[in-house]
Amino acid sequence: MSGGGLLVAGTTSDAGKSVVTAGICRWLVRQGVKVAPFKAQNMSLNSFVTREGAEIGRAQAMQAQACRIEPTALMNPVLLKPGGEQSSQVVLLGRPVGELSARGYHGGRQQRLLGTVLDCLEQLRGTYDAVICEGAGSPAEINLRRTDIVNMGIARNAGLPVLVVGDIDRGGVFASFFGTVALLSPEDQALVAGFLVNKFRGDVSLLEPGLEMLRGLTGRRTYGVLPFRHGLGIDEEDGMAVSLRGAVRESVVAPPAGEDVLRVAVCAVPLMSNFTDVDALAAEPGVVVRFVDRPEELADADLVVVPGTRGTVRALDWLRERGLADALRRRAAEGRPVLGICGGFQVLGEHIEDDVESRRGRVDGLGVLPARVRFAREKTLARPVGEALGEPVEGYEIHHGVADVLGGEPFLDGCRVGQTWGTHWHGSLESDGFRRAFLREVAAAAGRRFVPAPGTSFAALREEQLDRLGDLIEQHADTDALWRLIESGAPQGLPFIPPGAPA
């Protein structure tokens, strides 16, 4: 017998679907329910490698952590990784299967994946008491409904009740809720059980008359009003949810343990991938992380990070056009700390042979690390474990580039020359002892009296964050009604709201 299920949809992208899904997962697992997350199709440059070597969206990996289980490819069978304005790499069951234009994907390929997606969901529902599914964008994207496999397409085929999340902080939430339902076909509307308000500020009693009117108009109840809370975003999917010159996270951290803070500048390269690598730095008391796009913004930085990217050669062009390439070379020559991660490591090398990603052939790198990179058609997906700076380190690798390291000191899989470091390993800074050792080196090179706080545990901070999400659901949603939805499906007899989907 299949376990229960729920689809968390949204009125828009970034309405809070990922956070709400994680919160419901954490609430359920604390009630003793065996639960798993699922997202049929994800568009994201922020990905993760499972223990079996499959690439999935990082949001689903974090949701699996909320469920206290290991993530697997079943939880995100289709991952689209944009490579430009018009095309994406298609990752199916954790492995890349080719590049497709948006027209080619939505023109037929997407619908052919429905069977695979449903099979993955059924396997999860056969194993777990409940599966909490996350939609994408809005279920009312009427131009894409015919080939949809992630919103109402999966809900209809799997018989899932649908909870629609709206971000009231953006405004227009009542119109968004009503319009979302009214643009669905009668068959789709029959599965939309109700609404969840996200990011509410103020007195809920002032909102309640509107919620009653919404119920009168739609015949559907609101299952909760979640208050606005800073610093609750789990690993984002569709882009950097921060302004270029804003902090990485809004959460308040403890004051620095030493006399100085440490300033980290992250080059906001095009098609940036796995920018969450710097979250572990931002979690350190006294470390200030910001994203930058101008050379003068590197001047006061104690550490510059060149992050991963889905377009290494394009990133090189961008660094040169903006004058950042020369600024990075000067920093390296002056012995001021620079860290390149994955594509950022490749950028810092001598040259790149790329007949796969950009198909530009040989392109000169910045030449500050003795490494030569050749792009292979086969993608490296791995979960390496090692040691650096006398501390154990874990990470994960997602890259086509193969580096031939010709000198310098060994550093993880890459190298180090002076205070310039390069590695393909994502996630290495989440290893607490290694991160502290690395920051001590950076502080010494920068002449800062910065001291890493001895007790900071990144894993513990993640757990606290997930517990806070679970608390939001437990304290501000009607959990009894939510459980009835998950266990029994959408209520019978929900009214049709005209006009419905266009013919």
Side-chain angles (χ1 to χ4, degrees), residues 20 26 68 73 97 100 110 115 167 185-186 192 229 275 324 348 403 409 433 439 467 478:
V20 168
R26 179 48 63 101
R68 298 180 178 143
V97 294
L100 272 182
Q110 182 182 35
D167 179 355
S185 69
V192 178
R229 291 286 186 269
F275 53 84
L324 284 160
L348 298 176
E409 298 175 49
L439 290 176
D467 275 331
D478 185 338

Side-chain angles (χ1 to χ4, degrees), residues 419-437:
Q419 292 300 323
T420 302
W421 320 62
T423 176
H424 277 124
W425 291 22
H426 294 291
S428 64
L429 293 166
E430 295 178 20
S431 298
D432 298 324
F434 166 72
R435 181 181 65 253
R436 287 193 278 268

